[in-house]
Amino acid sequence: MKRWLVLLTIPLVLLDCSNKKKGLLLLPFLGLGDGTAQTTETSKGEGAFTVVGLETTDPSQITAPTETTPTDGATSGDQTSTTSPEPTTTTPETTTTPEPTPAPVVTTPAPTPTTVVNETTVVVVDQTNGGNFNFETNVTVPVTVVVGNESGPVANAPVTVTETTTTGQPNVVGVGTTDSNGSVTIPISVPPTVTTVEVSVIGVNPTTGEVVELNGTAPVQQPAAGGSGTVVVAPVVNVDTTNFQPVNGCVQAVDTDCDGIANIYDEFPEDPSLATTARSGRYTIAFEDMFPSAGDADLNDHSTVFTTEMDKTPANKVKVIRGTYTHVAKGAGYNHELRLSLNVPTNATVQVSYVNGTGNPWNGCAAAPKYTANATGDCTGGTLTSAQLKRGVLILPSSDKTLFGSKNAPSAGTTFTINDFVRGVTANITITFEEPVDLNQTKNLVGGHLNYFLAINQKTDGVFRQIYRPGYFTNSAGKDSFLDSKGFPWAIIVPGIFNHPTEGADIRKPSTSGYIFFNAWMNSNGVAHKDWYLHVDQIPAPNRPSYVVRVSDFYVDNGFSAYLIKAVQKNALEVSASLIVIGAALGFLMKKRLGKQQAA
């Protein structure tokens, strides 16, 4: 039995590693702790908030509890309670010395626990761009939290919004602080798989001196009328509490750098200038390059798998952007380069490096043709001015070089296997702003994604053509410049690894692309079938050609292995001990089996 208990230790260790917040799952199993937390829960409306005691704090760092004097008629100098009975003393009959008078008993009011009641209301949010659907798969929505206690609005309370669907761990998607009305509105952008977010408010119980966290959930999507798909909603969470107020000053046991972000959510707990890292997860950006014509609408002319991270300040401004971009398709005769335009009022230091499909350094950027004029920092990085950042940071140079002459876009019905797939160049980009910037002020973000664009080796009026995603530019008539007359885009971002259509397979036609719900998603302005990209009609048949390149089957994913390595590094003692015990157990079993074979 013990051997099986040991074998169960490894998955529990790994599960424990993913639990960023307090409480170890492994401790009860090993008998090193009970892993429990004391909670008080009161619910009302759509959901409940839970009061969770945080780490042990120094009472001198927070508001001191108010001294309470009993109101039973005794004077302030009378320390004897009139309501407490005297203890009964039993004395043996042989004892003649009287017992001393018992010590007085002082009655102390029982500390009042923090309680909370919340009501969540929602308002449907229009996700279109000025009436035109901008083909964003992400859900972009404001989350409003209003906090009040028995005395009125609670101001200066730090609020954190997270989601765990994308990575399985708490991913901070927004932070804010309540104003004088006890209210804060935090804009967030999350993948379409996220239907609810978690809300955390940090404060203190003034009667006990305990720092507490109010935890709850809020919907960001709800079923659409008629049961077809979902609609995006803006939640307003009204949190009514008793015995709760903001922390008075800094409690370093909870917030080491005193930046207003509790350590459990602070990615930089000893750096007051930084607070959280927003992680996008994996996405694919795919372009159709026949602008201003829709062309064959196969969205495979230039396709790149990418992930980004943004280091943010406590005020939710961005200090650092990191991105990894791998070129995976070039279903076109034109050549293109992928760039990022940033309209910000400050300079930035750009660092860039490239590796080829096998992970070795790639030095072909400098020799690749460039299609954006006067762009400083191409291939080498450096310090770029505000104007240079807006012109565009080079991510991937000319596409004929970054896929080594291959396309990964076969004709429909062509046999295409993992041996035919070419993993292109990967660019690793780091952009560090001299001053933190609010990327929402000058529309650097649409649907939570940055302003990527494609520059093409074909000119219009003597200038190389550029293609942007919908949502950034409008023409003189107020229409989106990068949606055609039928509302089709020249660029789209899809969650995960996008299995793009084969060459010439119009994604709008299910019979030739296999994407049976794309039109329903597009025509409903993103309400129906937000997960259209997961549904491909590919029924095997002799007369049924393949219309999709299954990039997800060919693309090497090292994310899970990297996560396991990170988990082992953070929990080396537990993992090492478990592996030693498991090795000994397996050795014992093998020795026992070998002994039986020899006896036979």
Side-chain angles (χ1 to χ4, degrees):
M1 182 61 181
K2 290 183 178 180
R3 290 194 300 271
W4 295 111
L5 292 177
V6 170
L7 290 173
L8 288 173
T9 301
I10 285 293
L12 285 172
V13 169
L14 295 178
L15 186 59
D16 176 48
C17 297
S18 68
N19 186 12
K20 180 180 178 182
K21 299 183 73 173
K22 52 266 171 197
L24 295 178
L25 296 176
L26 185 61
L27 292 182
F29 180 78
L30 295 179
L32 298 179
D34 59 10
T36 61
Q38 299 297 321
T39 63
T40 302
E41 184 172 316
T42 305
S43 64
K44 183 179 180 182
E46 300 179 3
F49 274 66
T50 302
V51 180
V52 181
L54 296 181
E55 304 152 56
T56 303
T57 60
D58 181 356
S60 66
Q61 294 179 314
I62 61 177
T63 304
T66 303
E67 295 293 333
T68 303
T69 303
T71 57
D72 55 3
T75 64
S76 60
D78 185 0
Q79 297 183 352
T80 304
S81 171
T82 59
T83 59
S84 299
E86 294 291 331
T88 302
T89 303
T90 303
T91 305
E93 295 180 359
T94 57
T95 303
T96 57
T97 303
E99 290 291 327
T101 302
V105 178
V106 179
T107 299
T108 302
T112 305
T114 301
T115 60
V116 59
V117 176
N118 83 290
E119 290 183 339
T120 302
T121 58
V122 296
V123 177
V124 175
V125 179
D126 181 11
Q127 291 287 284
T128 61
N129 178 36
N132 294 323
F133 180 44
N134 63 15
F135 282 81
E136 285 304 324
T137 47
N138 267 13
V139 172
T140 302
V141 63
V143 176
T144 301
V145 180
V146 183
V147 184
N149 61 16
E150 58 271 29
S151 300
V154 175
N156 300 316
V159 179
T160 305
V161 181
T162 61
E163 60 88 11
T164 57
T165 303
T166 302
T167 63
Q169 294 181 306
N171 182 35
V172 176
V173 292
V175 296
T177 303
T178 56
D179 59 18
S180 59
N181 296 316
S183 176
V184 59
T185 297
I186 302 172
I188 67 168
S189 184
V190 294
T193 51
V194 177
T195 57
T196 61
V197 293
E198 290 76 43
V199 178
S200 164
V201 187
I202 303 293
V204 64
N205 183 328
T207 65
T208 64
E210 178 190 23
V211 177
V212 294
E213 176 186 18
L214 307 183
N215 279 324
T217 61
V220 292
Q221 293 185 70
Q222 67 183 21
S228 175
T230 62
V231 292
V232 176
V233 296
V236 178
V237 184
N238 291 289
V239 184
D240 296 320
T241 69
T242 60
N243 296 290
F244 181 85
Q245 66 181 38
V247 174
N248 183 19
C250 174
V251 182
Q252 289 188 314
V254 176
D255 181 9
T256 302
D257 55 11
C258 301
D259 62 358
I261 306 298
N263 289 341
I264 58 173
Y265 296 111
D266 197 336
E267 301 266 358
F268 311 90
E270 298 182 355
D271 183 352
S273 67
L274 293 173
T276 60
T277 299
R279 297 173 175 84
S280 71
R282 178 172 286 157
Y283 283 84
T284 304
I285 183 169
F287 289 88
E288 173 60 49
D289 70 358
M290 293 299 291
F291 179 84
S293 166
D296 53 11
D298 54 16
L299 286 173
N300 67 14
D301 294 339
H302 193 285
S303 185
T304 298
V305 176
F306 73 95
T307 61
T308 60
E309 293 182 344
M310 298 185 189
D311 294 342
K312 296 187 175 183
T313 69
N316 219 27
K317 293 185 176 182
V318 177
K319 177 64 175 177
V320 181
I321 297 173
R322 288 181 298 277
T324 299
Y325 306 84
T326 302
H327 192 193
V328 295
K330 179 189 179 298
Y334 296 149
N335 295 328
H336 337 75
E337 62 187 17
L338 180 65
R339 290 184 180 262
L340 168 62
S341 176
L342 293 167
N343 186 8
V344 293
T346 186
N347 300 340
T349 299
V350 178
Q351 297 171 289
V352 57
S353 63
Y354 297 97
V355 296
N356 61 20
T358 60
N360 295 315
W362 182 71
N363 301 313
C365 181
K370 306 298 184 300
Y371 311 122
T372 300
N374 303 318
T376 303
D378 285 359
C379 306
T380 60
T383 299
L384 275 63
T385 66
S386 175
Q388 291 166 342
L389 291 170
K390 186 175 181 179
R391 186 173 294 119
V393 177
L394 180 65
I395 297 177
L396 291 168
S398 188
S399 53
D400 61 328
K401 307 299 182 183
T402 52
L403 264 181
F404 317 113
S406 298
K407 291 189 173 183
N408 291 340
S411 301
T414 303
T415 301
F416 190 83
T417 68
I418 190 171
N419 294 325
D420 302 306
F421 179 78
V422 175
R423 183 181 177 120
V425 168
T426 295
N428 296 293
I429 310 288
T430 300
I431 302 171
T432 305
F433 299 107
E434 288 185 359
E435 298 293 335
V437 296
D438 182 352
L439 292 179
N440 292 298
Q441 279 191 345
T442 47
K443 206 172 188 179
N444 289 284
L445 294 166
V446 168
H449 297 292
L450 295 165
N451 188 9
Y452 303 106
F453 69 93
L454 205 65
I456 306 174
N457 69 333
Q458 291 293 310
K459 292 184 177 181
T460 300
D461 296 330
V463 178
F464 286 117
R465 289 190 285 118
Q466 296 180 355
I467 297 176
Y468 292 80
R469 288 167 37 236
Y472 285 99
F473 300 103
T474 55
N475 58 24
S476 58
K479 297 295 184 180
D480 198 302
S481 300
F482 291 93
L483 288 171
D484 74 359
S485 59
K486 297 181 180 179
F488 185 75
W490 283 273
I492 189 171
I493 290 182
V494 180
I497 298 176
F498 178 45
N499 295 321
H500 54 261
T502 53
E503 184 58 33
D506 189 332
I507 196 171
R508 298 169 296 185
K509 299 178 181 179
S511 60
T512 59
S513 76
Y515 282 108
I516 56 180
F517 295 130
F518 179 86
N519 279 340
W521 173 67
M522 177 179 68
N523 295 329
S524 68
N525 285 349
V527 172
H529 299 292
K530 284 186 172 67
D531 61 348
W532 64 269
Y533 51 89
L534 299 178
H535 300 279
V536 183
D537 181 16
Q538 288 286 282
I539 303 173
N543 60 347
R544 183 77 176 271
S546 174
Y547 293 114
V548 171
V549 179
R550 295 191 172 276
V551 183
S552 58
D553 293 345
F554 310 139
Y555 191 92
V556 178
D557 184 4
N558 296 320
F560 185 63
S561 299
Y563 170 71
L564 290 181
I565 293 172
K566 181 179 180 181
V568 170
Q569 290 173 342
K570 292 177 65 177
N571 300 270
L573 179 61
E574 294 95 329
V575 174
S576 299
S578 301
L579 291 176
I580 291 172
V581 177
I582 288 176
L586 291 176
F588 172 79
L589 293 174
M590 293 177 65
K591 183 177 180 180
K592 186 175 181 180
R593 176 174 294 183
L594 182 60
K596 288 183 178 180
Q597 292 175 347
Q598 291 175 343

